[in-house]
Amino acid sequence: MLSSLESKIFGSPQEPLFNQRTSGISAELLEDALLVLSDTNEKSKEKPPLGKGLFKSGAVAEYVFLLCEHLELPNEARYLSVELFDRFMSKHISQLYEHVMNSDKYPNKEEGWATVESRIQRQLTLRMASCIQLASKMCSHYKVANVSRLRQFLRCLGLRYADDALSKSELRILETLEFSIAVPSPLTYVETILETLGHNSKRCRVKLLHGTSLLVLDMVYLHANEIYKQITEKLSASNQPCTPRSVTSSTGSASSISALKSDLMLMAVMVTSTAAVLVDAETCTHVLEQIALITKINKECLPVLIHVLLDCIQNSENSEKMSPS
């Protein structure tokens, strides 16, 4: 009874309320939102920092998701936490490496970097927790991951940090990112596309697409390295860029894969497109056409994106069946 009352007073709906007639966003504002997201996305793709994308997939993403789930944070906080952690770690490591190489404090550069690298590894969980703390604040969630909750949680993991250490870690992340943390997460892109879909066509089953999109988005994070490697290779082989400025290196190099990982609009497109195929085969062609119109993506590359994700989902299911219970 209490949890039901609590959810009515404090909680948000389990899924966004799309296309509300009385309180929903107007067509003009929706168009402006898409333009702002597109502009933000293009700027983030221009010069991705060295190492960007290395700390947002696989075991890292899974660990952050599990931490957020334990702290009962909303979906937005999960994805924003991973993005913040990736951005921080890529800059943090680059800055520390440059410091070691240019500082007289480390006459033996190799040993000096090994020492610093060891400290970075010991602080990984602390940095993840601080990113989660910041993300929960950005989401204005009533179960915000404050210092007290984080300290207790980290203690359960066998990590003992004073409140001052947790506050300093949060400040370190803010300073490294130059206090630029109010950036849209992939979920923002996904939900904006879905809101536009529902506004443009009554045939689009937006609520079902949203739930499926969350599952597919998790899959993209958990298997990002393999997914983006395959996408890069397939797009290069077909010589079919998704957008006029898409990167399609013929070698599938780390730089081209990193550039694709920085493209959150592309991520949202392949997530919602794959969700459309999974939800309803009868209407998926119509939905895919609408997505191409909304995002200006080359619809010829949509089958490539969808095929790679469906293969990943199938392989993941097969692996789970084969693993011992």
Side-chain angles (χ1 to χ4, degrees), residues 19 194-206 283 286-287 290 294:
N19 307 123
L194 292 178
E195 176 72 18
T196 311
L197 276 174
H199 185 276
N200 291 352
S201 173
K202 301 302 180 184
R203 294 176 60 189
C204 299
R205 305 167 68 183
V206 176
T283 62
H286 172 70
V287 174
Q290 289 295 315
I294 291 167

Side-chain angles (χ1 to χ4, degrees), residues 128-137 144-147 150 166 170:
M128 287 181 187
S130 295
C131 288
I132 291 171
Q133 181 180 12
L134 288 168
S136 71
K137 291 178 179 179
V144 61
N146 56 32
V147 170
L150 282 183
L166 293 173
E170 183 182 27

Side-chain angles (χ1 to χ4, degrees), residues 40-52:
T40 301
N41 187 56
E42 290 300 328
K43 289 178 180 178
S44 69
K45 287 162 46 183
E46 286 175 357
K47 291 183 179 179
L50 184 65
K52 192 173 189 297

